Amino acid sequence: MTQLIDFYRAAMKQAILVQFQYRAANYFYMIGMIAEPVIYLAVWSVVAAAQGGSVGGYNAGALAAYYIVWTLVRNMNIVFTPYGWEQRIRSGELSGLLLRPLHPLHYDIAFFAGWKVVVIVLWLPIAAALAWLFQPTLAPTAIEIAVFAVAIWGAFLIRMMFLWLLGLISFWTTRVAAIYELFFAFELFLSGRIAPLALFPDWVQTLADWLPFRWTFGFPIEALIGQLSLAGLLGGLAMQAFWIGVGLGLLAVVWRSAIRRYTAVGG
Amino acid sequence: MDVARIIATFARIGILNELQYRANFFFQVLESAIGLATALIGLGLVFRHTTVLAGWTPPELLVVMGIYGVMIGIVQAVIQPNMLRLAQDVLEGKLDYALTKPVDAQLLISIREWQVWRFTNAIAGLLVIGWALLWMQASVRLEQIIAFGAAVLCGVIAIYSFWLILATTSFWVIQIESLINLFEGLFAAGRWPVSIYPSWLRALLTFLVPVAFAVTVPAEALTNRLTGSTLALAAGVALGLFVIARLFFRWGLSRYSGASA
């Protein structure tokens, strides 16, 4: 266990140093990503204004807060892409990963977790600029900040594992793009990415409760902007723990049969 | 005349190349269908809460969405693949192969790639436009169709020029992944009429990134909103961007020195 912690500490430190060198590239990427929430924010602000100031319980300030926090949560949601598995398998890169002493998942989690530290630091000035432009109403309590700080890492872990699971399909077929796009389309609506889940019909909200998506996206945002009661905050963390467990269980099963299908020459 | 013949030849070769991979067509149709369903659900969600969005009714917004589909289809089939190949060639020093040909370099680097299956998005977009027009029970006049065609042409030229400027930056810095991310992120703003955005953003989307001219102006042509002066402005911006892009590309080219290809 201490060995594993030492490994994570070293690997994350390495990723932080590497990614901090590429701050320009990281910034470029983050700025390209800001367009999406700004579009949603513009649409829903117009709707809110037309509805007498608020829509689904969100007024202009709350919408601005939602989509500014969105930018950080979206960044925490970026993990190893399922499209990357084709390359890992085809190039034989996976052979090298398999020879290492730890499960390859550890290397991916540690690398991306280190990268996230850099992303959070780089995000702060962007958040300040967005706050100046869109005037959010945001007054989190200490417990909301604490839950948010934990929840963004829970979100990171859940999405990491589910996109890993999705990527493992590449061991059976390379025609994966349509499957991935379908998954991302479901996620877009059921996570709270396109709009706060409160704006959806009740049955969609109920469905979202039973799927992992909202716990990786909507939940951390709602936690920080003050949409949740204490029970909601703690219940959300419990749901995150539950989905981390489900992810680990599924991965253990699927990984074993996926890896049996793998053969490579060289790599 | 020569230009048209060269483009036709490259298009033919590109299409023949892609026709080898017919199964890709079905997967592309599937992806287009998912994209279309996503866009329609998004629009449905907005109109659950309101009846008009900044003066645009549901079928009118469908027109905007359809034109966005047409544009993104054209961009992904021809413009984007060529521009990414330009950036890749600069990175690998392979641009020499294009430069040594006895044709205008800009023409050649703009027509080498044809991902024809991507046009399914454009066809889906046209179907959406047709559906929206039926829904509005609009009788479209001939001059509206001509204006629409002219606006689409101006839009395509403007986007092409914008992409060329982005891709030309590769002569200084290589950022291929970021280029796609940046373009697709900004262009997604075209899913909605630019009038919904705050004024500073609208100015940005009109003159810096030609989203307004690429999507909103053609939509105005079909929904009786277009004035002659807007169309003239669209033509002016398209021409201006094209000239800037061409000059910038030449400047970038003068910095290029392929080491070994």
Side-chain angles (χ1 to χ4, degrees):
Chain A
M1 194 63 199
T2 43
Q3 269 182 331
L4 199 60
I5 291 170
D6 280 347
F7 161 75
Y8 268 92
R9 195 176 291 154
M12 281 175 69
K13 199 164 138 197
Q14 191 191 358
I16 291 172
L17 291 174
V18 169
Q19 291 304 326
F20 203 67
Q21 288 185 13
Y22 294 105
R23 13 180 217 288
N26 273 318
Y27 249 118
F28 219 51
Y29 192 83
M30 288 170 85
I31 286 169
M33 223 165 60
I34 284 172
E36 187 186 342
V38 168
I39 294 166
Y40 300 147
L41 175 57
V43 171
W44 290 111
S45 299
V46 171
V47 174
Q51 297 300 303
S54 87
V55 59
Y58 284 85
N59 59 21
L63 282 170
Y66 188 92
Y67 283 111
I68 291 173
V69 179
W70 186 108
T71 56
L72 179 62
V73 174
R74 171 78 189 113
N75 271 302
M76 294 303 289
N77 264 262
I78 293 179
V79 293
F80 185 73
T81 168
Y83 290 101
W85 280 97
E86 193 191 336
Q87 163 77 11
R88 278 186 173 175
I89 296 170
R90 193 160 40 98
S91 68
E93 202 182 302
L94 186 61
S95 307
L97 295 178
L98 288 176
L99 285 176
R100 292 182 177 180
L102 290 174
H103 193 290
L105 180 63
H106 286 303
Y107 295 93
D108 276 358
I109 292 181
F111 172 75
F112 278 93
W115 189 350
K116 294 307 166 209
V117 175
V118 178
V119 164
I120 293 173
V121 173
L122 294 179
W123 172 79
L124 292 170
I126 295 180
L130 288 173
W132 176 73
L133 278 170
F134 293 104
Q135 305 293 326
T137 26
L138 189 61
T141 61
I143 179 138
E144 284 169 351
I145 294 172
V147 169
F148 176 74
V150 176
I152 52 174
W153 291 99
F156 163 72
L157 279 179
I158 297 171
R159 196 155 194 273
M160 185 90 212
M161 287 190 291
F162 278 88
L163 290 207
W164 243 66
L165 274 170
L166 203 56
L168 292 184
I169 299 174
S170 308
F171 282 89
W172 285 272
T173 170
T174 50
R175 295 283 189 187
V176 285
I179 302 173
Y180 295 168
E181 292 308 313
L182 196 63
F183 178 90
F184 291 133
F186 271 103
E187 187 182 45
L188 180 68
F189 293 108
L190 293 169
S191 66
R193 175 169 167 179
I194 196 170
L197 280 163
L199 299 179
F200 283 86
D202 288 336
W203 65 269
V204 176
Q205 297 187 42
T206 314
L207 181 65
D209 282 341
W210 294 99
L211 293 170
F213 307 120
R214 83 170 295 174
W215 309 109
T216 69
F217 212 109
F219 164 64
I221 304 178
E222 288 162 17
L224 189 68
I225 66 172
Q227 294 280 333
L228 298 175
S229 62
L230 187 64
L233 291 171
L234 298 179
L237 288 181
M239 285 307 281
Q240 283 197 331
F242 168 73
W243 282 108
I244 290 172
V246 172
L248 282 176
L250 283 174
L251 262 182
V253 177
V254 180
W255 174 253
R256 200 173 306 163
S257 53
I259 214 65
R260 279 210 199 103
R261 297 184 50 90
Y262 177 69
T263 48
V265 184
Chain B
M1 208 57 239
D2 246 13
V3 173
R5 219 189 44 195
I6 292 168
I7 295 177
T9 308
F10 271 96
R12 196 167 52 85
I13 296 169
I15 291 165
L16 285 177
N17 242 330
E18 285 272 298
L19 282 178
Q20 298 177 78
Y21 309 100
R22 261 164 244 199
N24 282 357
F25 170 71
F26 295 102
F27 288 97
Q28 185 59 51
V29 168
L30 209 59
E31 273 177 65
S32 294
I34 294 169
L36 188 62
T38 309
L40 288 177
I41 295 172
L43 209 56
L45 186 62
V46 167
F47 285 107
R48 247 190 108 234
H49 296 281
T50 185
T51 46
V52 187
L53 190 74
W56 294 71
T57 61
E60 288 175 339
L61 276 181
L62 268 187
V63 172
V64 175
M65 222 182 73
I67 293 169
Y68 176 81
V70 171
M71 286 294 172
I72 206 80
I74 296 173
V75 167
Q76 289 180 343
V78 196
I79 299 177
Q80 195 161 301
N82 279 296
M83 295 303 138
L84 293 179
R85 171 136 175 226
L86 169 65
Q88 193 67 37
D89 278 0
V90 173
L91 174 69
E92 293 172 2
K94 283 187 192 158
L95 193 62
D96 306 36
Y97 293 129
L99 298 180
T100 47
K101 302 246 165 33
V103 195
D104 182 78
Q106 188 195 335
L107 173 65
L108 192 65
I109 58 103
S110 305
I111 56 170
R112 292 183 294 176
E113 297 279 332
W114 292 77
Q115 302 198 352
V116 283
W117 301 134
R118 293 281 181 178
F119 280 120
T120 49
N121 278 329
I123 293 165
L126 285 176
L127 292 175
V128 169
I129 296 172
W131 172 32
L133 291 177
L134 282 179
W135 185 359
M136 287 191 285
Q137 298 186 320
S139 50
V140 183
R141 296 184 311 275
L142 183 63
E143 66 258 34
Q144 267 182 298
I145 293 178
I146 295 172
F148 172 71
V152 168
L153 185 67
C154 291
V156 171
I157 293 173
I159 300 178
Y160 161 77
S161 307
F162 180 70
W163 240 123
L164 183 60
I165 292 171
L166 275 186
T168 299
T169 59
S170 306
F171 288 110
W172 289 270
V173 278
I174 301 287
Q175 287 292 350
I176 295 175
E177 291 277 302
S178 302
L179 285 183
I180 310 177
N181 183 46
L182 193 68
F183 175 82
E184 290 190 339
L186 292 172
F187 196 67
R191 288 176 185 274
W192 307 91
V194 288
S195 52
I196 67 161
Y197 298 110
S199 54
W200 60 271
L201 192 57
R202 204 178 323 152
L204 214 74
L205 292 174
T206 307
F207 295 106
L208 196 63
V209 191
V211 168
F213 292 113
V215 186
T216 312
V217 171
E220 286 177 347
L222 285 182
T223 54
N224 281 319
R225 285 183 168 83
L226 188 63
T227 58
S229 55
T230 309
L231 190 57
L233 188 62
V237 166
L239 192 69
L241 269 177
F242 185 80
V243 171
I244 293 171
R246 185 162 176 86
L247 291 175
F248 188 51
F249 177 70
R250 291 252 172 124
W251 183 31
L253 211 52
S254 70
R255 283 185 46 101
Y256 175 73
S257 51
S260 60

